[in-house]
Amino acid sequence: MNAINQAESASLVSEPLRIQPVLDAKGVVREMALVGGRSGHIPALLANAASADALRRAGRVFRAAGCLATLSMDHPLNVNADILLPQQLCQDLRIGAVAGDQLRETPQEAHPSQPIYPCAKVTYNVPLSDRLAQGATLFNGYQELRPALRVRLLPSPQVQFGTLRAIGLRVGIPEGICTRRPLQERFFSLLGQASRQGLKVLAQDIRRIDDFNWLRAQPDVLFQGEALSIALSLQYVQEWLTSAGSGWRAFQLGT
């Protein structure tokens, strides 16, 4: 991603929402992660509003580029809510219904029938909860890796707000894991537990290329971090996707 880093770093501004590519072991772009504008100390209502706005802004950019890429985003879902968690997520993100394979706006918004984005194209990184995946709280024992559950909100013929399906784990990579044997053993342990539960792992916060080179030897892991690509402005991403057309996934690390 060196070419992208050089071009984008010249125009970095105080844009709260940015997009960071997520790569596989070969350096191929697999999804686009929404990043920025988050703080662990902001009130829940403000965090929900930021998440809802981020989803819509990114959706407009990708639609304008003619590219419905897979998006992923962090969301502080209240997994202890008294209501069903799909309904809670929809309320947080101002989603009125999950229907026709689309996330749709709430009736209170200007265009209630307007789709936001395809359901299966959005992955949410949310707190661990056994309500979302049996045994998910076992990963609380790996706090040095900061695990979160990756879920999708999909249509359900019985429920207006759809159903949440766990598809993976998002973990933070401590810097220097390539030379720290105890951390490597913990990472291997987490990978094994995730595999037994059918969850694929996304490793984020990769700051060193030697850490990525060590991590990429592990099968079925996705990668995200500044060592691979800085977070890009929405305008830059739209221009990139528009020029790349249907071949945007073909961009590879180092090419």
Side-chain angles (χ1 to χ4, degrees):
M1 290 278 175
N2 290 341
I4 287 183
N5 285 355
Q6 292 168 3
E8 177 62 8
S9 60
S11 61
L12 286 176
V13 294
S14 57
E15 168 62 65
L17 176 65
R18 305 179 77 80
I19 292 176
Q20 193 169 41
V22 173
L23 312 177
D24 65 15
K26 295 181 179 179
V28 177
V29 179
R30 293 302 179 189
E31 64 184 64
M32 299 290 194
L34 281 59
V35 298
R38 299 189 306 273
S39 168
H41 304 290
I42 60 177
L45 288 177
L46 293 180
N48 292 343
S51 292
D53 291 342
L55 176 59
R56 284 156 177 78
R57 291 181 64 196
R60 287 193 294 269
V61 165
F62 282 79
R63 287 185 184 278
C67 173
L68 295 180
T70 300
L71 304 177
S72 61
M73 59 184 291
D74 291 357
H75 180 67
L77 179 67
N78 178 11
V79 294
N80 299 312
D82 293 332
I83 63 175
L84 295 174
L85 293 184
Q87 182 178 352
Q88 180 67 62
L89 184 62
C90 286
Q91 289 182 1
D92 290 349
L93 300 180
R94 305 195 309 273
I95 296 170
V98 184
D101 297 328
Q102 293 282 334
L103 305 172
R104 296 188 175 274
E105 298 281 10
T106 58
Q108 291 79 15
E109 300 199 14
H111 304 287
S113 62
Q114 181 72 21
I116 302 171
Y117 213 69
C119 305
K121 293 286 189 178
V122 185
T123 300
Y124 310 90
N125 304 314
V126 300
L128 299 170
S129 172
D130 289 341
R131 294 175 66 185
L132 294 169
Q134 186 176 4
T137 52
L138 292 174
F139 294 102
N140 281 324
Y142 297 89
Q143 282 306 303
E144 70 272 43
L145 297 172
R146 308 188 308 280
L149 199 60
R150 284 164 55 83
V151 300
R152 285 183 178 156
L153 180 63
L154 301 174
S156 170
Q158 294 84 25
V159 186
Q160 173 187 4
F161 296 108
T163 183
L164 284 170
R165 178 182 301 170
I167 63 165
L169 284 177
R170 197 276 321 275
V171 299
I173 298 301
E175 191 166 348
I177 192 173
C178 63
T179 60
R180 298 165 68 180
R181 186 63 182 176
L183 281 176
Q184 293 175 9
E185 292 175 352
R186 293 287 287 164
F187 184 70
F188 289 143
S189 174
L190 180 142
L191 283 182
Q193 184 68 32
S195 178
R196 286 188 288 273
Q197 296 186 221
L199 301 173
K200 292 191 175 182
V201 172
L202 164 63
Q204 73 159 189
D205 295 333
I206 302 172
R207 299 182 178 89
R208 290 170 44 173
I209 198 66
D210 49 350
D211 284 337
F212 171 62
N213 288 332
W214 181 83
L215 289 161
R216 72 193 304 183
Q218 317 312 318
D220 297 324
V221 178
L222 295 177
F223 308 96
Q224 177 188 346
E226 292 185 1
L228 312 178
S229 171
I230 61 171
L232 310 168
S233 68
L234 297 185
Q235 179 181 357
Y236 185 90
V237 170
Q238 184 171 341
E239 292 172 355
W240 169 25
L241 297 178
T242 301
S243 62
S246 60
W248 68 272
R249 284 185 185 273
F251 187 94
Q252 291 185 275
L253 185 68
T255 64

